Amino acid sequence: MRDSRGREANDSLEELGLLVDTAGGVVAGHLLQKRESISPRTFLGRGKLEELKGLIGRDSIDVAVFDEDLSPGQVRNLEKELGIKVVDRSEVILHIFALRAKSSEARVQVELAQLEYQLPRLTRLWKHLSRLGGGIGTRGPGETQLEVDRRRVREKIGSLKKQLAGVEKERSVQRKKRENAFRVAIVGYTNAGKSTLFRVLTETEVFVEDRLFATVDATTRRLGSIRAPSTVITDTVGFIKKLPHHLVTSFHATLEEVVQADLLLHVVDSSSSRAAQQAATVEDVLVTMQAGGKPVIIVLNKIDLAEEEALQSLRYQFPSAVEISALKRVNIDALTERILEAVRQRRVLVTVEIPLSEKRLLSHLRESCEFVEERTLTDRVSIQCWAGSDEVGRLSRRGFPVRFG
Ligand SMILES: Nc1nc2c(ncn2[C@@H]2O[C@H](COP(=O)(O)OP(=O)(O)O)[C@@H](O)[C@H]2O)c(=O)[nH]1
Ligand SMILES: [Mg+2]
């Protein structure tokens, strides 16, 4: 392709192919149209429309997937012209999310996004049904079937939103409990290796698959593998270009974990030829979420697969990145050291002496501070540790002299 716009469109189409594959479809072929020739009625110009019809006839295709969002009218006209089902990128992504949603929270989030997507498109669905007539007594005076159905969908949306508000409240209670904790969120393009890294860092099992959007649920755990007490880490849903905005709104509570984080690990698939563009997309999404100014560690993942030349170029773009392979567990120590550094920046090194009889206080300190040195004297312990301001305050209030350093 000569121009960068063409390359971008091709990349986007290739990604759409992966999305279709993840949604369970098989890609039979593709077609690219120059932007200048977009027709408001059918999106495709006359020539392209005929070309597509040829493809459909030749390969007995069931669905035409468009990379751009189509208006309800365009879908209607295209379906009439082509005689097959027409869907756009948003619908494919929504479908994948629906397949992948495991927790009841994620299910509600997806259902809400689907309904909000469908609401303006109801006309198409119900036009012929309304002619069949609705049940007796369901229609208000002067209400058409379409209006009844719109009202029902709006009511359903309202009740789902209420449910989600409940979930959001519960999440914020959970967050409050972790208020003293240092919060790390893993972000990145879909399939970059976030869940794999999460698994390595927390030493737990989470769902990993070489598919787009294997994870749509946010999971938060304690950071297990490193000596960073009171540090929790969240695995998040992947970002992608042109993520339907209904989804972003519905997953607000989940994404809130990102907004609230003290540190972001931005995982980049260094083996992807689109690594730089994907990282840029993620950065854009972070900015729109107002999480653009957070401390970030760029994690160049999958170095076991990456070409040296590509890695060099990524190093140039992200000079302070940590290079790892989450799958092969390469260089994980360097990453955990970087996380620890960030945790320490929020803490101070203190030395304090605690009587051995203060068992509860001692065990609390063990849980919440990073111990550097611990010496048992006759009736007390001398501890040097990295402590957060809450712990320092608590120790001072209890009358234990705290020495800095
Ligand atoms: N070769 C290689 N594959 C990896 C690495 N990290 C993750 N993967 C694979 O990449 C795919 C997507 O991983 P996943 O953690 O689900 O990505 P997520 O969508 O960002 O959560 C899976 O097939 C992983 O096994 C790595 O360091 N090297
Ligand atoms: Mg995942």
Side-chain angles (χ1 to χ4, degrees):
M1 275 283 151
R2 272 178 305 125
D3 55 327
S4 71
R5 228 171 60 187
R7 191 169 342 112
E8 219 176 88
N10 255 332
D11 280 353
S12 194
L13 257 193
E14 195 182 311
E15 185 174 83
L16 184 67
L18 290 176
L19 287 168
V20 168
D21 173 67
T22 303
V26 178
V27 180
H30 63 266
L31 210 70
L32 205 61
Q33 166 175 267
K34 276 220 176 80
R35 210 165 285 194
E36 290 81 35
S37 44
I38 280 175
S39 135
R41 217 182 69 81
T42 52
F43 191 79
L44 292 179
R46 215 20 1 212
K48 284 287 162 189
L49 204 58
E50 290 307 320
E51 205 178 317
L52 182 56
K53 274 188 191 164
L55 268 181
I56 292 169
R58 208 185 61 216
D59 298 335
S60 55
I61 287 165
D62 308 310
V63 187
V65 186
F66 285 72
D67 198 30
E68 298 288 330
D69 277 347
L70 300 171
S71 74
Q74 286 171 336
V75 171
R76 202 162 47 237
N77 294 332
L78 278 166
E79 287 189 339
K80 213 155 80 198
E81 286 273 354
L82 301 171
I84 60 170
K85 194 171 162 53
V86 168
V87 298
D88 59 22
R89 184 186 182 94
S90 290
E91 258 181 289
V92 177
I93 296 176
L94 282 172
H95 182 69
I96 295 171
F97 270 69
L99 291 175
R100 296 302 164 106
K102 292 217 164 53
S103 70
S104 58
E105 177 186 5
R107 289 219 184 91
V108 173
Q109 288 168 329
V110 173
E111 194 182 351
L112 181 59
Q114 283 181 319
L115 286 176
E116 291 199 316
Y117 178 83
Q118 279 163 11
L119 189 59
R121 290 165 173 78
L122 269 184
T123 353
R124 139 165 92 116
L125 195 60
W126 291 117
K127 219 168 193 156
H128 68 286
L129 285 184
S130 69
R131 264 184 254 124
L132 303 176
I136 296 166
T138 49
R139 222 185 274 184
E143 231 182 0
T144 65
Q145 185 60 38
L146 175 63
E147 281 161 346
V148 174
D149 290 316
R150 279 222 179 107
R151 175 165 54 75
R152 285 212 191 111
V153 170
R154 276 201 203 96
E155 279 164 10
K156 181 79 188 163
I157 287 177
S159 100
L160 287 177
K161 276 190 173 157
K162 224 177 264 167
Q163 271 187 55
L164 271 189
V167 171
E168 204 151 340
K169 207 160 156 202
E170 171 60 19
R171 268 192 185 276
S172 85
V173 170
Q174 294 293 336
R175 257 201 305 271
K176 241 196 163 74
K177 278 193 199 151
R178 301 193 299 255
E179 205 149 57
N180 296 332
F182 186 86
R183 285 184 297 246
V184 183
I186 304 183
V187 297
Y189 211 73
T190 183
N191 216 41
K194 298 177 294 298
S195 296
T196 309
L197 179 62
F198 180 79
R199 201 150 76 151
V200 171
L201 292 176
T202 57
E203 295 165 345
T204 52
E205 290 297 311
V206 293
F207 188 51
V208 171
E209 202 188 354
D210 197 6
R211 283 278 168 105
L212 305 179
F213 299 115
T215 329
V216 301
D217 295 298
T219 335
T220 300
R221 298 265 162 70
R222 269 174 171 271
L223 209 59
S225 63
I226 63 172
R227 291 171 303 119
S230 285
T231 302
V232 292
I233 187 159
T234 304
D235 183 19
T236 65
V237 50
F239 299 156
I240 195 168
K241 248 191 0 217
K242 304 188 216 160
L243 195 64
H245 80 269
H246 298 308
L247 264 178
V248 180
T249 329
S250 303
F251 278 72
H252 173 80
T254 310
L255 295 173
E256 190 67 14
E257 302 288 336
V258 174
V259 179
Q260 298 286 337
D262 299 298
L263 172 70
L264 302 179
L265 302 184
H266 177 172
V267 182
V268 178
D269 176 356
S270 63
S271 73
S272 163
S273 59
R274 292 187 292 261
Q277 294 96 300
Q278 293 178 347
T281 299
V282 171
E283 279 165 3
D284 284 348
V285 178
L286 288 175
V287 168
T288 53
M289 287 168 63
Q290 284 166 355
K294 285 197 180 290
V296 179
I297 299 175
I298 300 277
V299 181
L300 297 179
N301 189 32
K302 307 197 190 180
I303 53 162
D304 56 303
L305 284 186
E307 305 275 345
E308 186 53 35
E309 206 177 312
L311 257 182
Q312 281 294 0
S313 139
L314 287 170
R315 270 179 204 136
Y316 184 71
Q317 293 173 58
F318 306 107
S320 54
V322 188
E323 294 164 30
I324 66 158
S325 166
L327 190 69
K328 306 264 152 89
R329 301 190 180 225
V330 177
N331 220 17
I332 301 298
D333 287 349
L335 176 59
T336 54
E337 191 49 44
R338 284 284 294 279
I339 298 172
L340 263 177
E341 261 170 38
V343 176
R344 282 181 196 140
Q345 274 183 7
R346 296 278 297 267
R347 292 168 180 229
V348 282
L349 188 63
V350 296
T351 305
V352 65
E353 290 190 354
I354 313 261
L356 279 172
S357 56
E358 292 280 350
K359 290 208 173 58
R360 275 189 44 200
L361 179 62
L362 277 169
S363 78
H364 169 77
L365 285 180
R366 278 207 181 84
E367 251 170 47
S368 50
C369 305
E370 181 196 345
F371 278 39
V372 177
E373 200 185 11
E374 182 176 358
R375 275 183 304 135
T376 309
L377 311 168
T378 37
D379 56 342
R380 63 211 144 88
V381 225
S382 169
I383 296 163
Q384 187 185 37
C385 65
W386 290 95
S389 50
D390 293 318
E391 275 64 47
V392 176
R394 183 190 295 239
L395 288 168
S396 312
R397 277 199 305 279
R398 298 278 310 269
F400 299 108
V402 177
R403 203 153 43 76
F404 290 94

